[in-house]
Amino acid sequence: MSNSSAVSEWNISGMAASGILGLAFLVGAPGNLLVIWTIVQHVKLRSFTVALILHLAVADLLVVITLPFWIYSMAQSWIFGPVACKAVVYVVCSCMYASVFLITAMSVERYVAIRYPFSLMNQKRTAILVKALAGIWALAFLFAIPSVITYHVDMMDGIPQCLFRTYSSLSQEVVCFLLEIVIGFIIPYLVLGICYRQVASYLRQMNLQQKCKSSTVIICIVVAFAICWFPYHLNNTIHLFNNPDVNEPDESFYHALSLISGALVFINSSLNPVLYTFVARRFQGSLMKSNLVKLFKDIASTYAKSPESTDLATIPNILHNEQTRM
């Protein structure tokens, strides 16, 4: 592959990624702001699920507001300096970990609320939620630290770009790779799979329409996250085992692939408001805001009362069904 071909490949992939990121910004910025405003202003009674959705929208918004930096960089060059490069990358990586931890917490909370209704009584909810959210963000900021160390500005076909990672050794590269894919993808999705298998079983027994509705919201979030992040982790895996840094053409091709898979990551931060709106269509209302208000209030009211009423009322029936099967 000639150098001109490599430059052309970079330009084409850069333009494609810029278009994707531009669309993500136009959808994600107002969409996540709408979700945050709707919950803060109109949902005073917030369940675990609604609080986690609020923090997820905050994490998505933080990612989306970095998009103008990336769009300009891909269209022209990175002119913001090495400190801004590390800062922007750190924000994105922190929010990536926060997002997957929040989504995992939603599934765990759903399982606990249905399987052990007494464990989330009203007086315990606030304290548990505050500690859980503080722990999630603390871990997210901690696990994102390697990005500050490894990312830097370098030349790509004579143009400075904030897209490069440099490792001091192979062992450091492996550790960073395992940290991202194991902590940020594999373990959370193992937890998600286990929890939702149990949740699906109990929902079938309890036959609660509202719980099914809110579970549908979270399942959509989980699937969207997996679809958008899987190419990124797959690309990193291929890069680690194939070592594309052996020659310049392969390196250029790898960075072109990184642009596309990275752009899909940003798309995820714009999808969740669209998913909420899609589910909210089931409510009657002339404005999207009013539909979202009804959706979030419905989820909040369901889980606010579940330990004392809905869930407890179904326990005798569940026990009877279990004894019948035995």
Side-chain angles (χ1 to χ4, degrees):
M1 181 184 299
S2 66
N3 186 59
S4 61
S5 298
V7 173
S8 177
E9 181 182 83
W10 170 264
N11 291 338
I12 293 174
S13 59
M15 288 188 294
S18 296
I20 295 174
L21 296 185
L23 178 61
F25 180 78
L26 292 176
V27 174
N32 284 296
L33 282 172
L34 176 62
V35 171
I36 294 170
W37 179 79
T38 298
I39 295 176
V40 171
Q41 292 295 321
H42 297 280
V43 186
K44 303 304 180 183
L45 179 63
R46 296 173 196 162
S47 65
F48 269 80
T49 302
V50 173
L52 293 171
I53 288 176
L54 174 62
H55 280 255
L56 182 60
V58 171
D60 288 339
L61 181 62
L62 289 175
V63 172
V64 169
I65 61 178
T66 69
L67 287 178
F69 292 93
W70 301 112
I71 294 172
Y72 184 88
S73 176
M74 292 176 186
Q76 300 293 328
S77 64
W78 185 268
I79 62 172
F80 310 104
V83 175
C85 173
K86 292 181 179 292
V88 170
V89 169
Y90 182 69
V91 169
V92 173
C93 290
S94 297
C95 292
M96 179 272 286
Y97 282 111
S99 295
V100 71
F101 294 159
L102 289 166
I103 293 171
T104 305
M106 289 182 194
S107 65
V108 173
E109 182 272 338
R110 188 58 42 87
Y111 170 73
V112 172
I114 294 176
R115 182 65 179 86
Y116 305 103
F118 289 104
S119 64
L120 294 178
M121 302 299 285
N122 283 336
Q123 61 269 25
K124 298 180 180 180
R125 289 185 176 192
T126 302
I128 295 174
L129 180 60
V130 170
K131 292 178 181 178
L133 290 173
I136 285 172
W137 282 105
L139 288 175
F141 292 138
L142 177 64
F143 286 131
I145 290 177
S147 65
V148 179
I149 302 172
T150 58
Y151 271 93
H152 66 283
V153 178
D154 206 341
M155 304 301 290
M156 181 66 184
D157 299 321
I159 301 174
Q161 295 290 347
C162 176
L163 298 170
F164 298 88
R165 304 186 76 169
T166 299
Y167 305 96
S168 60
S169 64
L170 178 61
S171 60
Q172 185 190 53
E173 181 176 5
V174 172
V175 168
C176 290
F177 164 77
L178 291 177
L179 184 66
E180 285 190 359
I181 194 169
V182 175
I183 303 297
F185 197 80
I186 295 177
I187 292 178
Y189 272 86
L190 285 176
V191 175
L192 287 166
I194 293 172
C195 288
Y196 274 109
R197 182 177 179 180
Q198 297 298 320
V199 166
S201 175
Y202 277 89
L203 285 177
R204 284 194 297 268
Q205 295 180 48
M206 298 165 72
N207 193 27
L208 296 177
Q209 183 180 2
Q210 288 181 321
K211 285 186 180 292
C212 290
K213 184 185 303 177
S214 51
S215 292
T216 299
V217 173
I218 300 179
I219 290 173
C220 290
I221 296 173
V222 170
V223 172
F225 190 93
I227 293 174
C228 291
W229 277 95
F230 180 74
Y232 172 83
H233 293 295
L234 179 62
N235 191 42
N236 284 347
T237 304
I238 294 173
H239 172 59
L240 179 67
F241 288 101
N242 285 353
N243 191 20
D245 295 326
V246 173
N247 56 70
E248 186 175 348
D250 285 344
E251 183 179 4
S252 178
F253 179 71
Y254 164 70
H255 284 296
L257 290 178
S258 298
L259 282 178
I260 304 301
S261 62
L264 289 176
V265 166
F266 287 99
I267 283 289
N268 180 246
S269 296
S270 304
L271 276 181
N272 289 335
V274 178
L275 296 176
Y276 304 147
T277 304
F278 177 78
V279 177
R281 291 189 313 167
R282 302 168 64 179
F283 296 93
Q284 297 297 321
S286 57
L287 296 176
M288 180 173 64
K289 177 184 73 66
S290 65
N291 291 343
L292 289 176
V293 170
K294 293 175 183 178
L295 173 64
F296 295 139
K297 281 186 175 181
D298 184 72
I299 295 174
S301 63
T302 300
Y303 284 91
K305 67 184 181 181
S306 61
E308 294 79 19
S309 58
T310 306
D311 284 334
L312 296 185
T314 60
I315 289 178
N317 294 332
I318 296 174
L319 294 178
H320 175 72
N321 292 336
E322 293 290 338
Q323 294 173 353
T324 302
R325 285 199 298 269
M326 294 175 62

